[in-house]
Amino acid sequence: MKLSSFLFLAAGSLSLAQNANNCDTDSKKRNGADFILADQGDNPNLKSLSNLFAEAGKQVLVSDVFDDGNHKMTTDSSGKKAWEETSDFDDQNTSKWVPQGITSTADALGAGTYEGKNGWVVSWHRDDDKSARVTFVNRSDDSYRHVLLVYPHAEDDFEEVPVHAGGIMWYGNTLWVVDTWKGIRVFDMDNIWHVESGDGVGKKSNGGYSAAGYKYVLPQIRSYKWTPSFDFRFSFISLDRTTTPDSLLVGEYQTSDDDPIRMVKFELDYETRKLKADGTTAKGSWAYCFGIERVQGAVQADGKIYLSRSNGQSDGDIWGWIPGKTAHQNKGFVPSSPEDLSYDSRGKKLYGLTEAAGGRYILTLDTSEIKF
Ligand SMILES: *[C@@H]1O[C@H](CO)[C@@H](O)[C@H](O)[C@H]1NC(C)=O
Ligand SMILES: CC(=O)N[C@H]1CO[C@H](CO)[C@@H](O)[C@@H]1O
């Protein structure tokens, strides 16, 4: 072997192939442990606020919210569900809020229902990314209600959460929301608070609380901070209940593969509903440079990964990929502007959604129709 090729091989196997921040190599597998999230601890103000709302009889259950829908979706002939669209309330066309993430009671608990309810939760970012809300959709009658996400910043007060909420995942009593370049925020489904009417968010000057007209708020309980020296874009998130232990997958949306386009899996602890960690440090268990542009959501089940990709105004794709093999493009499989994905083992369904104004739907896809 010539010295020059020996050096090339050594460099290739020792550094380049494992460089977590460079996808421009033949091997696309990366070392999961290079992708690190640090648990920032539980919010110190949650307990006092929780006591305050509990004492006032204003703490409600997830099932109460599912049973308190004030809007309704409609279903078209192909089974797509559209948001309410009337002259005085129009979630279909509003530019103020844009739907992003989807999860369901099938993510929350393996049984598929939560407190007896079967439903979806969808996240929306406000146009300025300075606030986010989640919608509880009651699947027995397609009624729904929006709930504001809040951050307890004082022992008796909360504020809006400046997050894009590009993807969400429900796991037990926790709701995980990606925070683009920062990591993941986790919200507490055991603490949903009923507030009074009012435009402001938080404590009202004359007593009580309000949330920009929303009836309920869902507070943040903890967060995971991205700590490596290189950037990672948390664009989407999903749960895989078919692995042992359960795991989550996060990945990057990029418009060009000049940038690294990666996805990473982390293991979950079903007892604590936290990431498996060494102290507060959680390292990825698997990472890959998948390299497909404009991916807005991905979910894995039974070893297969499903990816949704947007194509501008054109219909979106669902890609079927088994790591190690070439991904298959199911071209135009979904309407334009698909976003996050989640999986339901009951009937092996995928749930997705679309964001474009005038064409905002919740989608249910049959995985048996997706080619690999
Ligand atoms: C939501 O679903 C339940 C059944 O789980 C039903 O009893 C309830 O009336 C539904 N609708 C509303 C608007 O609450
Ligand atoms: C109420 C309203 O303005 N609805 C519009 C939403 O957007 C679609 C598609 O652009 C229109 O067809 C609706 O009229």
Side-chain angles (χ1 to χ4, degrees), residues 102-139:
I102 189 163
T103 183
S104 81
T105 48
D107 275 345
L109 297 173
T113 54
Y114 195 91
E115 294 170 2
K117 302 293 168 186
N118 191 24
W120 289 296
V121 172
V122 168
S123 65
W124 306 60
H125 74 87
R126 203 169 66 193
D127 54 0
D128 61 0
D129 272 351
K130 297 221 166 81
S131 188
R133 68 186 189 187
V134 289
T135 312
F136 288 74
V137 183
N138 180 345
R139 289 187 61 185

Side-chain angles (χ1 to χ4, degrees), residues 85-87 90 92-93 357-359:
E85 177 186 345
T86 63
S87 50
D90 190 358
Q92 194 57 243
N93 295 289

Side-chain angles (χ1 to χ4, degrees), residues 223-238:
S223 65
Y224 289 97
K225 187 179 169 195
W226 176 251
T227 57
S229 56
F230 61 92
D231 285 337
F232 186 85
R233 186 177 196 154
F234 291 81
S235 303
F236 47 84
I237 186 169
S238 59

Side-chain angles (χ1 to χ4, degrees), residues 35-41 176 179 181-186 220 222-228 232 234 266 275 280-283:
F35 297 80
I36 300 167
L37 284 166
D39 187 339
Q40 302 298 290
W176 300 55
D179 192 353
W181 300 106
K182 298 186 185 133
I184 307 173
R185 293 176 184 253
V186 184
Q220 182 175 320
R222 67 181 67 93
S223 65
Y224 289 97
K225 187 179 169 195
W226 176 251
T227 57
F232 186 85
F234 291 81
F266 289 88
L275 291 180
T280 58
T281 304
K283 295 184 172 178

